[in-house]
Amino acid sequence: MKNIKKLNRRDLEKVKGAATYNCDGCPTHLAFGPGSPSDPSCEAYWRLSENCRMCVMVSVDCFVAITPD
């Protein structure tokens, strides 16, 4: 246990994901998918940029289940 190294601030940001995504201009106040209060569609979620998709809440119903063959 004595050999544990503390992570520096930059490494901590990478672990939490803060260094990767910038949510400026993304609709972070919306929740996408059926059953959400504002109820934007799953299609609206998939029209967002990849960066914004990481910044919003989305229903699991917007993803296709993968079943084994």
Side-chain angles (χ1 to χ4, degrees):
M1 285 296 215
K2 291 182 181 182
N3 294 332
I4 295 176
K5 179 184 172 187
K6 289 186 178 182
L7 294 174
N8 63 32
R9 180 71 56 193
R10 186 170 307 269
D11 290 337
L12 283 173
E13 286 178 349
K14 290 178 185 175
V15 170
K16 292 181 180 179
T20 308
Y21 302 106
N22 180 2
C23 296
D24 292 341
C26 297
T28 56
H29 63 286
L30 295 176
F32 291 81
S36 61
S38 55
D39 205 22
S41 66
C42 291
E43 290 79 19
Y45 169 76
W46 290 108
R47 284 192 301 266
L48 292 173
S49 68
E50 185 176 344
N51 182 60
C52 284
R53 280 187 233 140
M54 300 298 173
C55 298
V56 298
M57 297 294 293
V58 62
S59 170
V60 69
D61 296 330
C62 291
F63 297 93
V64 177
I66 299 173
T67 57
D69 291 334

